[in-house]
Amino acid sequence: MYQHGQTIRSQYMAIKYVVNGRRKTYRIAVVVSRKVSKSAVVRNRIRRRIYEIMRPEDGRIAQPYDIVFTAFSEQLAMLDAEELRQLVLMPLEKAGVLTSVR
């Protein structure tokens, strides 16, 4: 299924998503390789920040999507919280993964 998904790419990350008809809820994964940072602390901080941005958006994901965030830059660990939030949520809203209801 992963190869049939849509991809949204930005300077710092790529977001791949696909509807998974075999599930009733969505799934999210955050991939941060050692190429991004040798430090596990930094990689885990990026992971936690993205998961925390997505957690309150639970009700806005209408279909059972599989969503994979792939980080490209160590800068994600240092970005301002609101800037990172926009970087994560705006492409998903434009793609129709997130509904506009808050």
Side-chain angles (χ1 to χ4, degrees):
M1 279 183 114
Y2 188 72
Q3 65 251 23
H4 300 297
Q6 302 280 340
T7 303
I8 304 166
R9 201 173 150 88
S10 70
Q11 179 182 359
Y12 299 118
M13 75 172 77
I15 304 170
K16 190 147 194 151
Y17 62 95
V18 64
V19 175
N20 185 346
R22 294 183 278 162
R23 296 185 58 85
K24 292 187 171 123
T25 60
Y26 68 93
R27 292 189 294 187
I28 294 177
V30 179
V31 178
V32 186
S33 77
R34 285 191 63 201
K35 287 182 180 181
V36 172
S37 175
K38 297 293 183 205
S39 170
V41 173
V42 173
R43 293 194 311 269
N44 288 334
R45 178 174 294 137
I46 293 169
R47 241 181 242 110
R48 284 193 310 268
R49 291 183 82 196
I50 294 173
Y51 279 126
E52 188 57 30
I53 288 169
M54 291 304 294
R55 189 177 56 80
E57 307 302 326
D58 189 329
R60 293 180 59 200
I61 302 175
Q63 295 184 22
Y65 280 99
D66 288 342
I67 305 168
V68 178
F69 295 89
T70 305
F72 298 143
S73 175
E74 193 173 359
Q75 298 270 334
L76 291 170
M78 279 72 90
L79 282 177
D80 178 57
E82 189 55 37
E83 189 177 346
L84 181 60
R85 181 177 170 76
Q86 294 297 322
L87 189 68
V88 169
L89 297 181
M90 283 300 196
L92 291 174
E93 287 174 355
K94 286 182 183 174
V97 174
L98 293 178
T99 60
S100 59
V101 178
R102 285 219 148 171

